[in-house]
């Protein structure tokens, strides 16, 4: 059956605005610009605008739309920001961040680095982002993002899309002063707390818990599975 994805996208964004999850116009516009149906596997294309996680293979999911919006708002993304995402998955969220930090019609250009530990997913994110015209605004790296990505540090914002046992020290250290780190902290077998860490000084950080969430486990040196 024919699906009008533009219409479905508008409806879900409108419902997230009405629910107060999307607070800023720039976040709504970013979600309206990125075709989620082009990032998810063919079998889930028709469900692209159901506000729930969608399987992307390798036992992983791309996060629900309300979670994508919540993370963009919590990280206070804005044009010009340099962003690191830990957990690139299929590349969808990186494209949404890119539409906020480096919108086509804006002279201020930020950049998104997204790091993914599973090689097959890193390749898929790269392909998706290239095919959809994001390759100049998003760099995909294959590696352990629990260590951050020091080559491009420091960042205005770091967003971790997997559940971590704690706040990895390298991620805090790779924030600019004034930078924000958004990370789900807690056991991977139950709920986590979406946590906002703000670097307020050279050696000073403020941490607040924003609310409950559920993410797949963070792997790597500072994750649950220290491979
Ligand atoms: N942001 C993704 C998207 O737009 O599709 C969804 C991310 S999914 C919820 C979490 C991802 O984190 C998985 O793809 C998983 O392989 C990845 N991951 C887990 N531990 C990681 C690590 N240490 N470094 C990089 N990626 C990691």
């Amino acid at each position: 059956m024919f699906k009008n994805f533009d219409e479905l996208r508008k409806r879900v964004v409108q419902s997230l605005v009405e629910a107060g999850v999307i607070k800023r116009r720039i976040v709504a516009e970013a979600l309206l610009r990125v075709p989620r149906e082009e990032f998810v596997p063919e079998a889930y294309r028709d469900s692209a605008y159901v506000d729930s996680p969608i399987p992307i293979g390798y036992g992983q999911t791309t996060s629900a739309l309300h979670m994508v919006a919540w993370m963009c708002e919590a990280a206070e993304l804005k044009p010009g920001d340099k962003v690191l995402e830990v957990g690139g998955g299929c590349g969808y969220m990186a494209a949404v961040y890119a539409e906020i930090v480096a919108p086509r019609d804006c002279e201020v250009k930020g950049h998104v680095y997204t790091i993914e530990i599973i090689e097959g997913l890193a390749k898929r994110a790269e392909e998706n982002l290239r095919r959809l015209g994001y390759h100049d605004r998003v760099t995909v790296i294959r590696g352990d993002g629990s260590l951050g990505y020091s080559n491009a540090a420091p960042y205005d914002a770091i967003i971790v899309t997997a559940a971590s046992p704690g706040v990895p020290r390298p991620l805090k250290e790779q924030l600019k002063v004034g930078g924000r780190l958004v990370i789900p902290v807690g056991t991977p077998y139950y709920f986590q707390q979406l946590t906002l860490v703000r670097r307020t000084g050279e050696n000073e950080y403020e941490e607040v818990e924003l609310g409950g969430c559920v993410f797949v486990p963070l792997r790597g040196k500072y994750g649950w599975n220290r491979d």
Side-chain angles (χ1 to χ4, degrees):
M1 199 183 74
F2 170 77
K3 290 257 178 191
N4 185 339
F5 288 118
D6 291 345
E7 189 51 39
L8 294 172
R9 194 181 312 115
K10 272 188 207 153
R11 271 193 227 160
V12 73
V13 169
Q14 184 59 31
S15 73
L16 293 173
V17 169
E18 283 165 12
V21 181
I22 295 178
K23 300 185 192 315
R24 293 175 298 150
R25 182 195 283 250
I26 197 165
V27 175
E29 284 173 354
L31 281 154
L32 286 171
R33 284 198 199 113
V34 185
R36 194 179 189 224
E37 70 277 13
E38 296 292 336
F39 286 85
V40 298
E42 186 61 34
Y44 293 96
R45 202 175 150 82
D46 282 357
S47 312
Y49 295 101
V50 176
D51 184 13
S52 72
I54 293 182
I56 53 173
Y58 304 89
Q60 307 300 317
T61 54
T62 189
S63 303
L65 288 159
H66 69 272
M67 191 55 67
V68 178
W70 190 15
M71 290 181 122
C72 291
E73 293 287 7
E76 299 167 16
L77 299 187
K78 60 182 185 314
D81 277 357
K82 185 170 21 155
V83 179
L84 174 67
E85 178 186 53
V86 177
C90 66
Y92 169 73
M93 292 170 76
V96 173
Y97 313 146
E99 291 288 1
I100 301 173
V101 305
R104 284 260 178 255
D105 53 0
C106 179
E107 284 190 4
V108 187
K109 291 282 175 250
H111 197 83
V112 179
Y113 295 84
T114 184
I115 182 160
E116 170 56 53
I117 203 163
I118 298 175
E119 189 164 4
L121 284 177
K123 275 195 188 141
R124 190 171 317 148
E126 173 81 44
E127 281 161 18
N128 285 339
L129 290 161
R130 178 163 294 280
R131 179 168 45 86
L132 295 161
Y134 288 98
H135 51 286
D136 56 340
R137 298 182 271 173
V138 182
T139 303
V140 180
I141 302 118
R142 147 83 176 98
D144 176 8
S146 77
L147 298 164
Y149 181 59
S150 59
N151 294 12
Y155 301 96
D156 297 285
I158 300 177
I159 297 177
V160 181
T161 64
S164 178
V167 181
R169 189 176 40 78
L171 298 186
K172 289 170 74 168
E173 290 172 352
Q174 289 176 28
L175 285 176
K176 290 181 186 172
V177 173
R180 295 83 54 199
L181 163 62
V182 175
I183 179 167
V185 177
T187 162
Y189 308 107
Y190 201 54
F191 290 100
Q192 302 100 36
Q193 270 296 328
L194 193 64
T195 304
L196 170 64
V197 180
R198 193 184 297 274
R199 187 169 194 172
T200 52
E202 204 46 51
N203 296 306
E204 286 147 41
Y205 298 88
E206 278 173 12
E207 206 170 301
V208 271
E209 292 183 344
L210 302 175
C213 57
V214 181
F215 278 84
V216 294
L218 182 73
R219 293 164 53 186
K221 178 153 186 222
Y222 290 87
W224 288 98
N225 178 359
R226 296 181 172 82
D227 50 2

